Amino acid sequence: MARNNSRSLSRSGDPRKRAQHRRQNQPVAVTVLNGFLGAGKTTLLQSLLVQAWQRTPHLRPAVIVNDMSSLDVDGLVVEDTEVVSHEMGNFASIKGGSVHSAELLPKLIATAEQMLDGYQPEHIFIETSGSTRPWPLVKALTRHPRLQLRGFLSLVDAAMLRDDFACGGLIADQVARQLGAGTLGVESLIAEQVMFASEVYLTKLDKLEPEQVTRTAAALHRLNPYAGITGLRFGNLRLDAVLAQPRYPRDRVAQLGHETEQRDAEHPETGRLVSLVLDDARPFHPRRLWEAYTTALPQTLYRSKGMTWIPTRDDKVLLWNQAAGGVNLEFFGYWKSGVLDREQRAVADAQTSSREAERRRLLPREIEQLQREVDEIDPVFGDRRTSITLLGEDSDTRAFLARLEQCLCTPEEVMAWRSGEEFDDPWPQQTVTVDQFARTAGLGRRRI
C-alpha cells in the first residue's frame, strides 16, 4: 500500500505535492554558521535569507539562532528580515547558553524536528553562539536520520586575529600550552571552530593589509588543511555556493572528535567567558557613553550587543553592536513612546502644514491606545529601554559593566531630558545605509 501511494504521488501533476512528498521522505540539508563572537555570522545569515527570498521559486528556509545571552539580540535582528518568523513556524531561537551543551543540544534537535513536521523546510540554517564548540553539534547532526549536515562554515574575524594573535600565528602555540595545563581558553575554542569547519571564511578584510590577509590564511590552513579559506566582505556569499556544499565529511574529523572527547573527560571545560546583561529603562548619557567606549573598552570584551537609546534621539531604537574594537550604533526602528511624542508634537505645532499634519497624525483613538500601552510599561520612559549583553572574559567584562552603569543618566539628567534641555552628543549625526544586499532587499540598517 505504501508503494502504491508513493507511486501515485510521484506521478501527480501538482509540483507542490511532489515537492512536499520529497521533503517528507528525504533528509533535509542543514548548514551551520559557526565562529567566534563578532565574526559576522548574523550578517551572513541575513544575506542568505534575502537571497533565499529572491530566488524563483523562493527557497523555503528555516532558521535556528543560538545566543549565549538571555536577551537574544541576534534572533530579533534575523527575524526582522521578515523572511522567517515564529508565526510562520520557520524560525526559533535558543538562548542562554551554547548549543553544544548537554542542556541545549537536545533542545536544538527537538526544534529542528518540530520544523520538519510543521513547516517542512527545504533547508535549515543554524547560527550558533560564538562560544559553541563544533564536535557535539557535528556528531548529533550527522547521526540524525532526517537531517543531512552539509556546510559547517566557520567565520573568523581577521582583524581580531591580527590584533590579538599575530594574524593567527600565535594560536597553535597557545593551544599547545593550554593542552599541557589542562585548560580551555579562547585560543582553543577558535582553533576547534577552524579545525572542524568544512569551509573557513575570513571577515573584516577591509581592516587588513594584503600581506596580513596572506599570513592569516596560512596560519588557518595549518590548523585545517582540508577546508577552503575564502575572504568574505559584508556577508557577500552566494547562496548557491552554500546550497551546493556536499555532505559534511564526518569520517575526516572522527579521530579529532574522539581526541576532543578524551581531553574533555580528563579536563572538564573551564572556559573564562561570561555573559552579563545591563537592563535599565534609563538612557545612556551620549558623552559618557562615547568616552567609555573610546577610552576604556577592554581587549577581552569580545562582544556586546543590544538595544538602547540616548536623550538626543529619544524616538529611535538604537542597535548597539560591538565586536572587538569596532562599534556600531545603528537605527533599528522607533519606540512606541517616540512615535507618540512625535504625533503629539505634530498636533500641537501650529507651524506644521495641513498636508504634513494629515500625513503624520494618528487617529485620536489610536493615540489613546498607544498612550495606554506605554503608560502601562513605564510612566516616565514608556517602552524605551537599555538592554545590552556583554560577552567576554570574567573580570574585565564585569569591570566594564560597572563602567556602563555609570554612563546611564542620573535622575537629574532624566529631569533635564524631560524638560527639553540639550545634551552633549559626540556620536555621528549622519544617517547612512550599511549593506548593499540589505539596500537591494529593502532591509537596510541605518547607522547614526
Side-chain angles (χ1 to χ4, degrees), residues 69-71 275-280 386-390 401 405:
S69 167
S70 59
L71 292 182
S275 172
L276 306 177
V277 171
L278 173 62
D279 189 39
D280 198 294
T386 292
S387 296
I388 293 179
T389 185
L390 298 93
L401 173 61
E405 289 170 342

Side-chain angles (χ1 to χ4, degrees), residues 114-234:
Q114 188 176 23
M115 289 176 168
L116 294 175
D117 294 335
Y119 182 74
Q120 298 181 356
E122 295 173 313
H123 202 103
I124 297 177
F125 296 95
I126 299 174
E127 180 193 345
T128 69
S129 73
S131 60
T132 296
R133 301 180 64 192
W135 175 242
L137 198 54
V138 166
K139 187 165 63 171
L141 292 173
T142 53
R143 286 180 173 177
H144 199 288
R146 302 177 64 191
L147 301 171
Q148 185 181 98
L149 179 60
R150 298 284 189 85
F152 202 96
L153 314 183
S154 180
L155 276 68
V156 180
D157 182 341
M160 184 266 289
L161 286 191
R162 177 199 61 192
D163 297 338
D164 297 346
F165 303 107
C167 292
L170 298 179
I171 288 182
D173 291 340
Q174 294 185 16
V175 169
R177 284 195 292 271
Q178 290 172 6
L179 288 173
T183 61
L184 175 66
V186 168
E187 300 83 1
S188 296
L189 176 60
I190 294 172
E192 282 187 19
Q193 292 175 343
V194 171
M195 289 189 293
F196 282 95
S198 58
E199 295 288 334
V200 176
Y201 292 97
L202 284 174
T203 63
K204 306 181 184 178
L205 296 182
D206 55 304
K207 300 180 180 180
L208 273 68
E209 298 296 330
E211 180 270 338
Q212 294 172 327
V213 174
T214 302
R215 287 171 53 200
T216 302
L220 297 181
H221 180 72
R222 287 192 292 272
L223 291 174
N224 186 346
Y226 302 99
I229 300 175
T230 307
L232 189 64
R233 297 179 183 273
F234 306 108

Side-chain angles (χ1 to χ4, degrees), residues 279-335:
D279 189 39
D280 198 294
R282 291 175 294 165
F284 283 123
H285 188 287
R287 167 57 67 178
R288 290 203 298 276
L289 182 65
W290 175 269
E291 291 174 351
Y293 270 96
T294 54
T295 66
L297 184 68
Q299 187 177 21
T300 56
L301 178 63
Y302 301 112
R303 192 85 161 94
S304 62
K305 53 189 176 180
M307 309 296 177
T308 188
W309 64 291
I310 53 180
T312 49
R313 311 166 209 202
D314 58 4
D315 61 334
K316 295 180 176 64
V317 181
L318 301 180
L319 177 65
W320 180 266
N321 193 343
Q322 171 263 327
V327 177
N328 285 336
L329 199 59
E330 302 170 9
F331 170 67
F332 191 73
Y334 291 99
W335 301 109

